Amino acid sequence: MSAAEPPAPAGPSIRAKPEGDDRERLICPDCGYIVYDNPKIVVGSVVTDEAGRILLCRRAIEPRKGYWTLPAGYMELNESTMEGARREAWEEARARIEIDSLLAVYNIPRISQVQLIHRAHLVHPHIEPGLESLEVAMFAWDDIPWADLAFPSVHWSLKEFAKRRGVAEFAPGVNPTDAVDGL
């Protein structure tokens, strides 16, 4: 850069409270642009087959690589929560699913997430690991690897699913008040 060229814009690089706001935000010192960093939305599903078994995916990525989880992940722009849950089932387990209902909404402020977990079923029995999964499998309830589940919300979702099994209409579950042992 020569002395005649102006410096590149700094972009949002200063943390300060914008006028009229109650918390610090990242602000551009040149133009005043404010970055509103908001929670991430996670979408996923408890997926069953005709025998009532539940689809789980062994994670190939961190966090919790090697542990079992539901097919779930971050929503993408321009998709609905149901589209996102279907996409995640495809990406992680090559599973074609149909969404039945919203099962639960979990608020996890410590990691700035809101998780929307659906109840769904396989449209086709074929499953196989996607890029983010080491393996995928269908588990009968008594065979679920409870000690090797990746996240508390997986435990919550499975327990919520069990409470709602066979019930057609219900209000979605929310965060339980009891802790999950070991997580």
Side-chain angles (χ1 to χ4, degrees):
M1 177 168 85
S2 69
E5 292 181 50
S13 59
I14 295 173
R15 284 212 160 272
K17 283 185 186 177
E19 186 176 329
D21 208 331
D22 64 349
R23 64 192 69 214
E24 285 189 349
R25 312 269 186 197
L26 202 54
I27 301 171
C28 177
D30 296 325
C31 69
Y33 178 80
I34 303 167
V35 175
Y36 291 94
D37 195 16
N38 301 112
K40 296 287 187 184
I41 298 174
V42 172
V43 291
S45 50
V46 177
V47 179
T48 57
D49 65 6
E50 287 184 0
R53 297 177 303 169
I54 297 169
L55 173 63
L56 294 177
C57 308
R58 189 185 295 267
R59 293 177 59 80
I61 58 173
E62 293 296 347
R64 309 284 289 164
K65 182 178 179 179
Y67 286 83
W68 292 94
T69 191
L70 300 170
Y74 295 118
M75 269 186 79
E76 296 290 349
L77 296 176
N78 304 311
E79 73 180 357
S80 72
T81 61
M82 292 189 302
E83 289 168 339
R86 284 192 297 268
R87 177 185 49 76
E88 287 294 336
W90 174 254
E91 287 178 0
E92 295 183 11
R94 295 299 182 245
R96 299 257 184 229
I97 68 169
E98 185 173 317
I99 303 295
D100 299 321
S101 60
L102 180 61
L103 178 65
V105 177
Y106 299 124
N107 293 285
I108 310 175
R110 69 178 176 79
I111 55 174
S112 297
Q113 287 184 4
V114 174
Q115 297 186 5
L116 301 169
I117 306 299
H118 296 85
R119 183 167 69 174
H121 64 273
L122 287 175
V123 173
H124 188 277
H126 178 78
I127 58 170
E128 66 181 69
L131 292 175
E132 296 180 3
S133 299
L134 296 170
E135 64 180 304
V136 296
M138 301 302 298
F139 289 91
W141 185 261
D142 292 338
D143 297 329
I144 292 172
W146 294 100
D148 294 325
L149 295 180
F151 308 108
S153 59
V154 176
H155 284 261
W156 303 341
S157 298
L158 291 171
K159 290 178 180 180
E160 194 67 42
F161 174 81
K163 285 194 294 189
R164 308 289 190 216
R165 192 182 292 253
V167 178
E169 293 184 26
F170 54 86
V174 295
N175 296 52
T177 54
D178 56 329
V180 174
D181 291 338
L183 296 179

